[in-house]
Amino acid sequence: MGYSLVRFAQPGNEQEHLGLLVDGRIKKLEGQINSIIGDWSSWESELDRMTASGATDDWLDAQTVTLLAPVQPAQIIQAGANYRTHVIDLAVSHKKEGEDEAEVRAATALVMDKRAEEGLPYFFIGLPAAVAGPDEELELPHYSKTHDWELELAAVIGKRAFRLTPEQALEHVFGYTIVNDITTRDLVFRKDMPAIGTDWYRGKNAPGFLPTGPWLVPAKFVEDPQDLTVQLKLNGRIMQDESTADMIFTVAQLVSHASWNIPLMPGDLVLTGSPSGNGAHWGRLLREGDVMEGSITGLGTQNVPCRDEVR
């Protein structure tokens, strides 16, 4: 029987707890999430035993608690432009007047195939302060009307990872969770300093811009991270619906490349990029009253309502 790890708070009490989630019930655990991840060899057999015992006398109904982000990363490494269809759609949306769409798609597909064979992932850094709970209300900052969704699979590092090969990488992944990497589109490219290019600090990282969770699922319960469905609904309408098989660089490749610059530590996140279907593609960005429902196969569902910032 599979299980997940969660962080939660109970009604009327702001104290944060760690828990083992099985079939909608939660067993409180002592300790911090990164300590359990880093000492998994000691914890795994105990959690396996708790799950197998079937005893739920002192377990909580998950519906009676508030789930928090299941992770507390010190470092967040984010991959950009890592889904083939997404990049092709972006190329089409930026095609010049008179260019043929089919030709742009074909040419971009060839570039992506070559990139997968010879290129490197594109990374940038996220800030842990932007991490929010899976059902936490997202406040849309007043300084823009171009806030967008990007639902992603996130790999959670399980042990120190430094200069790994792709063949070694998945041995250092503790598990997986969901992250919606919110982006303010009109701040990504600096108009006053175009030679510098992208400004991910301002385009992302506002409070609540990384809704995370609801669950942290150990890797042993995820048979193949390249065979999961990433789906986001906006007010019930499917906007993103793609397999992780469409990644240009696999989870193993991403973790490997991310580990070459800095050591990755237990609890750190490696975000694997967003599939096609962002708001920029649909011409429909986030507004007050929207609800984003994001799910990935076996990792649960997050429901994030949106409201405008009160000034």
Side-chain angles (χ1 to χ4, degrees):
M1 181 184 296
Y3 54 79
S4 305
L5 295 175
V6 295
R7 295 177 59 249
F8 67 96
Q10 294 177 269
N13 187 342
E14 295 183 357
Q15 184 177 356
E16 299 176 0
H17 301 281
L18 183 64
L20 172 68
L21 174 68
V22 182
D23 289 338
R25 300 189 68 80
I26 296 173
K27 169 71 174 179
K28 281 186 183 180
L29 303 173
E30 297 297 327
Q32 300 295 318
I33 185 62
N34 288 343
S35 297
I36 288 182
I37 292 173
D39 192 24
W40 186 236
S41 60
S42 300
W43 277 91
E44 182 177 14
S45 58
E46 176 63 13
L47 299 188
D48 288 347
R49 185 197 62 76
M50 288 182 185
T51 303
S53 73
T56 59
D57 291 344
D58 58 346
W59 292 49
L60 303 169
D61 184 343
Q63 298 295 322
T64 66
V65 306
T66 299
L67 291 179
L68 310 174
V71 291
Q72 293 182 296
Q75 302 179 115
I76 302 174
I77 312 299
Q78 301 181 232
N82 193 46
Y83 275 77
R84 194 172 184 273
T85 303
H86 182 205
V87 176
I88 293 171
D89 285 346
L90 285 174
V92 170
S93 68
H94 289 93
K95 73 181 180 67
K96 297 176 182 177
E97 186 176 352
E99 285 187 304
D100 181 76
E101 178 177 329
E103 291 179 357
V104 171
R105 287 188 177 278
T108 307
L110 289 175
V111 171
M112 290 304 99
D113 291 342
K114 184 174 181 180
R115 182 179 169 221
E117 293 176 6
E118 304 174 5
L120 297 172
Y122 177 77
F123 290 120
F124 52 94
I125 307 300
L127 298 180
V131 172
D135 304 317
E136 192 172 326
E137 187 174 58
L138 173 63
E139 184 176 77
L140 303 173
H142 72 275
Y143 47 73
S144 177
K145 295 296 183 182
T146 66
H147 310 298
D148 200 351
W149 60 84
E150 295 190 40
L151 199 69
E152 307 191 19
L153 174 68
V156 182
I157 300 301
K159 53 186 176 182
R160 187 179 187 273
F162 190 45
R163 296 184 179 162
L164 304 176
T165 66
E167 293 73 24
Q168 296 169 323
L170 293 187
E171 298 174 7
H172 291 71
V173 172
F174 171 82
Y176 299 92
T177 191
I178 303 172
V179 177
N180 191 348
D181 177 26
I182 307 299
T183 304
T184 303
R185 294 295 177 195
D186 64 358
L187 296 183
V188 171
F189 296 99
R190 291 290 294 260
K191 298 178 178 64
D192 59 333
M193 304 174 73
I196 288 182
T198 51
D199 186 346
W200 296 118
Y201 171 72
R202 296 180 71 241
K204 299 176 181 283
N205 294 309
F209 266 37
L210 290 173
T212 301
W215 311 330
L216 170 53
V217 178
K220 67 180 182 178
F221 300 123
V222 178
E223 184 174 347
D224 182 359
Q226 303 309 143
D227 187 25
L228 306 175
T229 298
V230 179
Q231 185 181 90
L232 183 134
K233 297 179 182 178
L234 182 70
N235 305 326
R237 177 189 173 192
I238 295 176
M239 309 302 276
Q240 291 183 285
D241 191 16
E242 186 63 82
S243 169
T244 53
D246 196 48
M247 287 184 189
I248 297 168
F249 298 101
T250 66
V251 174
Q253 290 173 308
L254 292 173
V255 171
S256 169
H257 284 292
S259 77
W260 276 80
N261 282 68
I262 57 171
L264 304 175
M265 303 305 291
D268 286 349
L269 294 182
V270 177
L271 274 59
T272 59
S274 177
S276 60
N278 305 123
H281 167 77
W282 294 107
R284 167 60 163 90
L285 298 167
L286 291 171
R287 301 193 290 247
E288 182 164 29
D290 284 343
V291 177
M292 295 178 288
E293 180 184 326
S295 62
I296 297 179
T297 309
L299 305 184
T301 300
Q302 53 178 235
N303 290 275
V304 179
C306 302
R307 67 172 174 84
D308 289 338
E309 179 183 8
V310 178
R311 300 177 62 188

